[in-house]
Amino acid sequence: AIQLTQSPSSLSASVGDRVTITCRASQGLSSALAWYQQKPGKAPKVLIYDASSLESGVPSRFSGSGSGTDFTLTISSLQPEDFATYYCQQFNSYPLTFGPGTKVDIK
Amino acid sequence: QITLKESGPTLVKPTQTLTLTCTFSGFSLNTTEVGVGWVRQPPGKALEWLALIYWDDDKRYSPSLKSRLTITKDTSKNQVVLTMTNMDPVDTATYYCAHSRWFGEPGYFDYWGQGTLVTVSS
């Protein structure tokens, strides 16, 4: 199974900050990676698919980049509603796997 | 508008079998490339993929749980059912169903149900 690691596991940031989260895969994924946002008590919401494609309706301050084994989610200017946990997920092959998550909280 | 909703017991005893139903609307599992999957999340922990079924009845399972899982679909009712045998307290989690697509490779999950918390306890 392809393992995903995320760094950092948590971070504290202020409104307006630029935030970068990294996801690393144990094998090459091409671009078969998605990013999700999850708020407490809620289902995950997809932000980015195919490593860099913005899901419809998602604010443009979210962007994704990378291919192969190294991927990045960037929030260009953190907003109050962005405080949440972020997960990456690979869909290059079965079993589908998720990263351990990165919690973004208020500084 | 695509919606999904999970239903099933909130409490099961160890060794029992869990049966969860995902009822969806806004799409059909008769449509080419459509799939419905299950993902769970223990309290305070990360997401874990369990199973996925496609329009053509292709079924995929997490290898670590494959012996305990069965996923089926009822296209006439717009439902997908997941059964998990021999439940254990470590299976306590929120269980989500989610919509996916096949584009020549497994897909991501673009629509999710609200989730249902299942507690395993005697």
Side-chain angles (χ1 to χ4, degrees):
Chain A
I2 297 175
Q3 296 181 11
L4 300 178
T5 57
Q6 288 183 234
S7 59
S9 56
S10 65
L11 66 91
S12 295
S14 300
V15 173
D17 283 354
R18 182 181 182 88
V19 169
T20 298
I21 299 169
T22 296
C23 178
R24 178 162 290 173
S26 60
Q27 301 173 37
L29 305 179
S30 182
S31 60
L33 188 101
W35 289 97
Y36 300 87
Q37 176 194 67
Q38 187 180 33
K39 297 180 180 179
K42 300 294 186 182
K45 171 189 172 184
V46 66
L47 304 173
I48 301 288
Y49 64 95
D50 290 346
S52 60
S53 297
L54 192 68
E55 180 75 0
S56 176
V58 174
S60 59
R61 63 181 180 273
F62 292 94
S63 64
S65 64
S67 66
T69 59
D70 294 309
F71 301 86
T72 299
L73 173 71
T74 300
I75 309 172
S76 60
S77 177
L78 197 67
Q79 297 302 299
E81 60 268 30
D82 300 337
F83 292 97
T85 300
Y86 294 83
Y87 294 94
C88 55
Q89 180 230 327
Q90 68 81 19
F91 51 96
N92 180 74
S93 62
Y94 297 106
L96 306 180
T97 49
F98 290 87
T102 295
K103 184 176 182 180
V104 177
D105 61 21
I106 302 172
K107 195 175 208 176
Chain B
Q1 179 192 2
I2 289 177
T3 64
L4 305 97
K5 188 173 184 179
E6 307 85 354
S7 59
T10 58
L11 178 66
V12 297
K13 291 180 167 47
T15 75
Q16 287 187 335
T17 294
L18 171 68
T19 299
L20 294 173
T21 300
C22 176
T23 303
F24 55 85
S25 63
F27 67 95
S28 170
L29 257 177
N30 281 325
T31 302
T32 302
E33 297 179 344
V34 170
V36 172
W38 289 91
V39 174
R40 72 177 179 180
Q41 185 173 40
K45 296 189 177 180
L47 302 163
E48 178 186 17
W49 172 70
L50 302 177
L52 207 157
I53 188 166
Y54 289 103
W55 82 100
D56 60 356
D57 210 36
D58 184 22
K59 302 169 186 177
R60 304 286 176 152
Y61 295 100
S62 168
S64 63
L65 292 166
K66 184 174 183 178
S67 64
R68 299 172 55 204
L69 294 175
T70 302
I71 190 169
T72 60
K73 62 182 174 69
D74 185 333
T75 53
S76 66
K77 294 183 179 178
N78 280 353
Q79 291 181 334
V80 170
V81 175
L82 181 75
T83 61
M84 180 180 291
T85 61
N86 195 23
M87 293 292 285
D88 183 272
V90 299
D91 297 313
T92 294
T94 296
Y95 288 75
Y96 297 97
C97 64
H99 172 276
S100 182
R101 286 190 175 275
W102 169 267
F103 290 122
E105 62 183 7
Y108 61 97
F109 298 106
D110 50 2
Y111 296 91
W112 294 66
Q114 64 190 24
T116 185
L117 175 62
V118 178
T119 300
V120 184
S121 174
S122 55

